[in-house]
């Protein structure tokens, strides 16, 4: 399987995107294809053994468009190329807008006496002469408006119809009718009709459509500002040690394993691990965390963050497209290129929109011509219908909002993997929070330790050494706490005895053989299932758990020998985030493998009323499924490997960015900083984005539903009012601009602080 992104050229409307999508999906070996009209890109997944990229590009070319594979360049180079191409297109378009606008002004000025029926002394009447207007209009239609006619011809050759078809038919009809009147005016005079030409209508329509396209492209370029700002965070050079010398290199030349020097105030160029020195690093631009983070030897540093106080050296671990910043940019791009379910309605409509409009236009012409016998009236209404209809607004309504919304999420430290995740988030009713590492800091420490046999003959140290020997093979945070506590009590980590037959019993504990003795460290429930008596220290266990501490028994050769109390401090933002979610009307649930008493103590501290405790990792997904079966839209928030099944099962999986790669891979949304306030922000952003999309779709549908009948002359029998084709052209041009402009309002989104 392979995935590729293609940059598309030649699209003029959402119907074009639909045509390309259909053409690509028909290629044998293509599994999925999504074309985003707003980004002018196609995302294609295909089987390399059944088809090739060249065949896919050939299918797009056969449909009348051009597809260019996105080159594997650095972030800055790719953006620079894209911006250069966009600026070149904009310059060429601006020239055509200027020329067509000037000629339109001349023709409209020349037509004022004819349109108003007034005689204006000294007015340059030659401007309204049919032959003069023909000379001026011809280059405008076939040079400035060339893309419309070429696009319409290509669509006809592929048995399809697009917005270009409507524009070409509308302006072409007005132009050809005017040529006929210019050449044979007597034919109309003989029938009692006034020989009027409509060159100015065709020219003004072309000029307005080009102006609309220029403004639309300019606005669409701003929808990627968030990605551009992220790219701008990247350092351009790095000071690297090569052959025992310090050299300044372009960031593209940094290799994995290079030793990089960072001085106070400098940007960290790539990801790595500190090997010499210490400092405080401002990571707010990537994680959203406002306070500088202390970094010492062994600490990880992130490219694009800013070194504040000290100087240090670090070993580069991830460079180029592997850095966290590059991955964030790619995730945002992928999300912007994806489709939200709400877009499906617009996609279905644009599929048949143009043929239906053409049918309405033909019907309009036949109806008015048969009713009135007035070919001019029939032509004006037909041109109006063809010109005012706009599938572009429908096609842009959803993707432009998604682009701005996902970009805004990245600015706030929220990575949204796909548009459907953003859409589903606004429907959420229940938020399920894992305890360890999500509500808490995920760095538990041992607070209490007691042994059944007391402290005689160093019994407590010997037992602790036995427990630490087994726990060091476990990746669980509680195990790390036991090992760290043992070190603090003088047990040397490098002198711990060897362990045989180590086993981690999921959700229960760990066990292993040390010097021929079976050591087991785990929960009360596990001890009971093993038949191990735990009455000796029960009063201490109950007291510690009442204080929201997790307890773990230490058993040797089937007998309970000790009890450990472990506490994990709550994150500062947890209680505030839970309170905010509840005020937003969401039910907040805690899901944990801890015992009921500890779980309820933690829940009470943050204000959570519903708790699922003593849940094994393999049961977490079942608990999510149970909530969903009650008709709830559920989000799961977690950070560990054991949360991955539940994250995947939930309607929206939210991973804490400080957690494991497995959890992040299984999630729909990632909070880079680990601050739970990000959940509140993500839901607020989802609601704002969906509201914006609905506004856009409403404008787009209402515009077409109301505009087409008015252009067809539905008001003429009642009020004698007929829509001028030039006004129809202006309305069509600015309908797309209004949709994109409305989407850009999302750039002003700010998370609302809920007290």
């Amino acid at each position: 399987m392979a995935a590729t992104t293609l940059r598309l050229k030649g699209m003029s409307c959402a119907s074009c995107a639909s045509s390309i999508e259909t053409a690509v999906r028909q290629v044998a070996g293509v599994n999925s294809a999504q074309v985003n009209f707003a980004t002018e890109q196609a995302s294609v997944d295909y089987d390399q053994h059944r088809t090739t990229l060249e065949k896919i590009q050939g299918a797009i070319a056969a449909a009348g468009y051009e597809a260019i594979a996105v080159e594997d360049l650095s972030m800055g180079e790719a953006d620079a190329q894209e911006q250069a191409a966009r600026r070149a297109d904009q310059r060429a378009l601006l020239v055509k807008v200027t020329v067509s606008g000037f000629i339109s002004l001349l023709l409209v000025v020349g037509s004022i006496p004819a349109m108003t029926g007034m005689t204006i002394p000294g007015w340059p009447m030659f401007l309204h002469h049919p032959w003069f207007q023909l000379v001026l209009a011809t280059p405008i239609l076939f040079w400035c408006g060339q893309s419309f006619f070429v696009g319409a011809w290509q669509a006809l050759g592929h048995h399809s119809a697009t917005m270009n078809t409507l524009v070409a038919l509308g302006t072409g009809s007005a132009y050809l009718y005017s040529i006929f009147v210019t050449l044979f005016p007597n034919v109309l005079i003989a029938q009692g009709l006034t020989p009027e030409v409509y060159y100015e209508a065709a020219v003004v329509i072309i000029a307005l459509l080009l102006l609309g396209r220029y403004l639309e492209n300019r606005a669409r370029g701003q929808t990627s500002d968030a990605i551009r700002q992220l790219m701008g965070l990247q350092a351009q050079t790095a000071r690297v040690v090569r052959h025992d010398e310090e050299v300044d290199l372009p960031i593209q030349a940094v290799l994995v394993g290079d030793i990089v020097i960072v001085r106070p105030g400098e940007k960290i160029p790539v990801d790595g691990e500190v090997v010499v020195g210490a400092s405080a690093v401002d990571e707010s631009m990537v994680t959203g965390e406002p306070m500088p983070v202390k970094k010492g030897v062994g600490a990880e540093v992130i490219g694009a963050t800013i070194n504040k106080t000290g100087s240090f050296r670090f070993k580069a671990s991830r460079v180029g497209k592997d850095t966290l910043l590059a991955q964030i940019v790619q995730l945002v791009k992928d999300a912007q290129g994806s489709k939200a379910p709400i877009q499906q309605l617009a996609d279905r409509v644009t599929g048949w929109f143009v043929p239906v409009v053409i049918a309405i236009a033909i019907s309009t012409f036949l109806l008015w011509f048969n009713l009135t016998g007035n070919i001019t009236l029939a032509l004006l209404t037909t041109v109006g219908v063809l010109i005012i209809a706009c599938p572009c607004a429908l096609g842009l309504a959803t993707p432009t909002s998604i682009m701005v919304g996902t970009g805004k999420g990245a600015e706030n430290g929220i990575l949204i993997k796909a548009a459907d995740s953003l859409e589903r988030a606004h429907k959420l009713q229940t938020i399920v929070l894992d305890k360890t590492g999500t509500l808490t800091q995920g760095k538990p420490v041992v607070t209490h330790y007691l042994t059944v046999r007391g402290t005689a003959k160093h019994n407590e140290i010997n037992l602790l050494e036995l427990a630490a020997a087994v726990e060091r093979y476990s990746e669980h945070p509680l195990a790390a706490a036991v090992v760290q506590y043992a070190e603090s009590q003088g047990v040397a980590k490098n002198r711990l005895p060897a362990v045989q037959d180590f086993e981690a019993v999921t959700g229960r504990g760990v066990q292993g053989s040390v010097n021929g003795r079976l050591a087991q460290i785990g929960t009360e429930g596990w001890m009971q299932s093993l038949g191990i008596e735990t009455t000796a220290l029960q009063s201490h266990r109950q007291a510690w758990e009442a204080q929201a501490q997790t307890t773990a028994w230490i058993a040797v050769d089937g007998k309970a020998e000790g009890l450990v109390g472990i506490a994990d401090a709550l994150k500062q933002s947890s209680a505030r985030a839970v309170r905010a979610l509840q005020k937003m009307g969401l039910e907040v649930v805690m899901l944990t493998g801890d015992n009921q008493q500890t779980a309820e103590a933690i829940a009470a501290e943050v204000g959570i009323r519903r708790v699922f405790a003593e849940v094994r990792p393999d049961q977490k997904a079942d608990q999510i499924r149970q909530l969903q079966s009650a008709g709830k839209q559920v989000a799961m928030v977690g950070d560990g490997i054991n949360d991955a099944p539940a994250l995947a099962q939930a309607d929206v999986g939210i991973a804490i960015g400080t957690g494991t790669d497995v959890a992040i891979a299984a999630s729909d949304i990632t909070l880079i900083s680990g601050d739970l306030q990000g959940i509140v922000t993500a839901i607020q952003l989802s609601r704002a984005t969906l509201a914006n999309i609905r506004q856009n779709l409403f404008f787009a549908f209402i515009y077409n539903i109301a505009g087409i009948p008015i252009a067809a002359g539905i008001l003429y029998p009642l009020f004698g009012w007929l829509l001028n084709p030039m006004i129809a052209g202006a309305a069509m041009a600015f309908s797309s601009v209004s949709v994109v402009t409305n989407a850009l309002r999302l750039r002003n989104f700010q998370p609302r602080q809920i007290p």
Side-chain angles (χ1 to χ4, degrees):
M1 291 296 297
T4 189
T5 301
L6 299 171
R7 187 168 290 113
L8 302 171
K9 290 188 176 182
M11 287 199 301
S12 61
C13 67
S15 296
C16 301
S18 180
S19 299
I20 295 173
E21 226 170 60
T22 302
V24 174
R25 285 175 179 168
Q26 288 175 348
V27 177
V30 170
N31 297 311
S32 66
Q34 282 193 343
V35 176
N36 191 315
F37 175 51
T39 60
E40 296 177 314
Q41 289 188 345
S43 301
V44 184
D45 290 332
Y46 63 97
D47 186 341
Q48 294 166 292
H49 301 294
R50 298 179 59 200
T51 190
T52 62
L53 182 59
E54 288 72 23
K55 287 182 180 179
I56 295 169
Q57 290 174 302
I60 295 172
Y65 307 93
E66 185 181 355
I68 303 166
V70 175
E71 294 181 54
D72 188 19
L73 300 172
S74 70
M75 291 189 296
E77 288 176 324
D79 183 58
Q81 283 194 4
E82 188 175 330
Q83 288 303 301
R86 185 178 289 278
R87 283 194 296 269
D89 289 343
Q90 286 290 84
R91 283 195 298 270
L93 198 51
L94 183 59
V95 170
K96 292 186 176 182
V97 168
T98 305
V99 173
S100 60
F102 177 72
I103 299 301
S104 296
L105 182 64
L106 287 179
L107 295 182
V108 170
V109 167
S111 302
I112 287 176
M115 288 191 287
T116 59
M118 298 169 56
T119 302
I120 305 174
W123 200 261
M125 296 303 295
F126 73 91
L127 291 176
H128 190 57
H129 193 283
W131 286 100
F132 182 79
Q133 291 201 343
L134 172 61
V135 170
L136 291 181
T138 301
I140 300 304
L141 255 73
F142 301 112
W143 176 61
C144 294
Q146 179 186 15
S147 60
F148 299 114
F149 290 94
V150 170
W153 181 256
Q154 288 176 338
L156 179 64
H158 296 96
H159 310 292
S160 62
T162 65
M163 186 203 79
N164 289 327
T165 309
L166 300 180
V167 175
L169 284 173
T171 56
S173 299
Y175 178 77
L176 292 175
Y177 173 77
S178 299
I179 288 180
F180 179 81
V181 172
T182 303
L183 295 174
F184 310 106
N186 293 329
V187 174
L188 274 76
I189 294 171
Q191 296 180 24
L193 299 172
T194 305
E196 294 179 343
V197 294
Y198 293 98
Y199 293 117
E200 81 283 353
V203 170
V204 169
I205 287 168
I206 293 291
L208 288 170
L209 294 182
L210 290 174
L211 176 61
R213 185 172 287 183
Y214 175 79
L215 295 174
E216 176 192 319
N217 287 351
R218 187 174 173 181
R220 275 161 62 179
Q222 295 173 20
T223 59
S224 298
D225 279 355
I227 285 182
R228 210 161 291 120
Q229 288 170 10
L230 284 171
M231 290 177 176
L233 295 175
Q234 190 178 42
Q236 299 303 310
T237 60
R239 186 172 291 106
V240 179
V241 177
R242 291 272 176 91
H243 308 298
D244 296 326
E245 290 185 5
E246 296 181 16
V247 291
D248 288 332
L249 298 175
I251 193 169
Q252 295 86 355
V254 179
L255 304 174
V256 172
D258 275 343
I259 300 299
V260 183
I261 301 169
V262 184
R263 294 172 181 170
E266 291 183 340
K267 281 186 180 180
I268 297 171
V270 295
D271 299 355
E273 182 179 314
V274 177
V275 292
V276 177
S279 183
V281 175
D282 179 2
E283 297 182 339
S284 59
M285 65 289 300
V286 176
T287 67
E289 192 70 44
M291 298 299 293
V293 181
K294 290 182 179 179
K295 302 289 183 180
V297 175
E300 287 190 3
V301 290
I302 303 170
T305 55
I306 299 174
N307 181 31
K308 301 295 284 186
T309 54
S311 179
F312 61 90
R313 297 186 178 201
F314 73 93
K315 187 176 182 179
S317 59
R318 290 183 299 216
V319 301
K321 294 200 170 185
D322 295 326
T323 63
L324 177 63
L325 179 65
Q327 290 176 33
I328 290 172
V329 169
Q330 190 56 50
L331 274 172
V332 175
K333 282 185 174 181
D334 291 344
Q336 291 185 340
S338 62
K339 286 189 178 182
I342 197 172
Q343 192 175 340
Q344 292 173 359
L345 174 61
D347 285 348
R348 285 197 297 270
V349 170
T350 54
W352 50 258
F353 185 88
V354 173
V356 168
V357 169
I358 292 173
I360 292 172
I362 293 170
S363 302
T364 300
F365 181 87
L366 294 174
L367 180 66
W368 283 115
F369 186 70
N370 288 326
L371 286 176
T372 65
N374 188 334
I375 192 170
T376 301
L377 175 63
L379 179 70
L380 287 176
T381 52
T382 301
V383 171
V385 168
L386 290 169
I387 296 302
I388 203 168
C390 184
C392 294
L394 288 170
L396 289 167
T398 300
T400 47
S401 297
I402 292 294
M403 286 178 72
V404 180
T406 50
K408 201 67 187 177
E411 285 180 25
N412 286 276
I414 301 164
L415 296 185
I416 299 160
K417 284 190 178 177
D420 57 347
S421 308
L422 187 63
E423 180 174 340
R424 287 197 303 272
H426 94 287
K427 300 176 183 177
L428 291 173
Q429 298 164 292
T430 301
I431 309 293
V432 179
L433 300 172
D434 175 52
K435 181 180 77 69
T436 305
T438 301
L439 282 168
T440 65
Q441 293 178 2
K443 296 178 180 176
V445 293
V446 173
T447 55
H448 295 87
Y449 170 52
L450 283 175
T451 63
V452 174
R453 301 176 189 273
T455 60
K457 298 180 181 180
H458 301 291
N459 176 67
E460 81 285 5
I461 295 297
N462 294 334
L463 184 62
L464 190 57
E465 184 178 90
L466 200 67
V470 178
E471 290 283 31
R472 68 173 170 165
Y473 289 94
S474 172
E475 294 181 354
H476 198 283
L478 299 184
V482 172
V483 175
Q484 287 172 2
Y485 178 72
E487 289 179 357
S488 71
Q489 299 302 307
V491 176
K493 188 176 180 180
N494 59 353
R495 297 179 63 182
L496 289 172
V499 177
Q500 286 81 39
D501 303 320
F502 172 82
E503 182 184 3
V505 183
T506 306
R508 300 297 184 107
V510 294
Q511 63 183 12
S513 180
V514 183
N515 296 328
R517 306 182 72 189
L518 177 63
Q520 295 169 305
I521 305 100
T523 64
E524 166 85 6
W526 190 36
M527 295 295 139
Q528 290 178 356
S529 70
L530 294 171
I532 296 174
E533 184 64 47
T534 58
T535 54
L537 301 174
Q538 274 299 330
S539 60
H540 295 285
R541 182 187 72 82
Q542 291 168 3
W544 296 349
E545 289 183 359
Q547 298 169 17
Q549 293 184 33
T550 298
T551 57
W553 290 94
I554 304 172
V556 181
D557 293 332
K559 292 182 180 180
E561 295 288 353
L563 182 66
V564 177
I566 302 171
D568 185 7
L570 284 168
K571 291 178 180 176
Q572 290 184 347
S573 62
S574 293
R576 187 174 73 253
V578 168
R579 190 164 57 248
L581 290 167
Q582 290 169 338
K583 286 186 177 182
M584 292 169 70
L586 297 161
E587 178 189 24
V588 182
V589 177
M590 189 170 83
L591 181 66
T592 179
D594 258 349
N595 64 76
Q596 189 74 33
Q597 193 173 5
T598 302
E600 287 181 352
I602 291 286
E605 201 172 338
V606 296
I608 294 176
R609 302 180 188 91
R610 190 174 182 185
V611 177
F612 296 127
E614 299 177 31
V615 180
R616 295 197 309 270
D618 58 316
Q619 296 174 329
K620 287 187 176 183
D622 292 334
Q623 291 288 354
I624 299 295
R625 206 174 286 115
Q626 183 180 328
L627 289 168
Q628 290 171 324
S629 65
K632 301 279 190 180
Q633 291 284 317
V634 181
M636 171 69 193
V637 187
D639 73 322
I641 292 174
N642 59 355
D643 296 320
L647 288 167
Q649 173 62 39
D651 296 290
V652 178
I654 303 176
I656 302 299
T658 51
T660 65
D661 292 341
V662 175
I664 293 170
S667 69
D668 302 299
I669 296 172
T670 300
L671 309 180
I672 302 175
S673 70
D675 189 335
L676 291 190
Q677 199 64 31
I679 305 170
V680 179
T681 303
I683 294 171
Q684 289 179 350
L685 178 62
S686 172
R687 291 177 176 179
T689 303
L690 266 292
N692 191 271
I693 289 172
R694 290 194 183 100
Q695 291 165 4
N696 285 346
L697 287 172
F698 176 80
F699 293 149
F701 275 110
I702 288 298
Y703 164 80
N704 282 290
I705 290 169
I708 292 173
I710 291 172
I714 196 171
L715 300 178
Y716 187 69
L718 300 173
F719 306 106
W721 188 79
L722 203 61
L723 185 68
N724 189 303
M726 289 186 284
I727 297 175
M732 188 269 204
F734 290 99
S735 64
S736 299
V737 177
S738 64
V739 165
V740 176
T741 304
N742 187 55
L744 289 175
R745 288 194 308 112
L746 269 177
R747 293 193 300 175
N748 300 321
F749 169 83
Q750 292 294 333
R752 186 164 51 89
Q753 295 300 318
I754 300 176

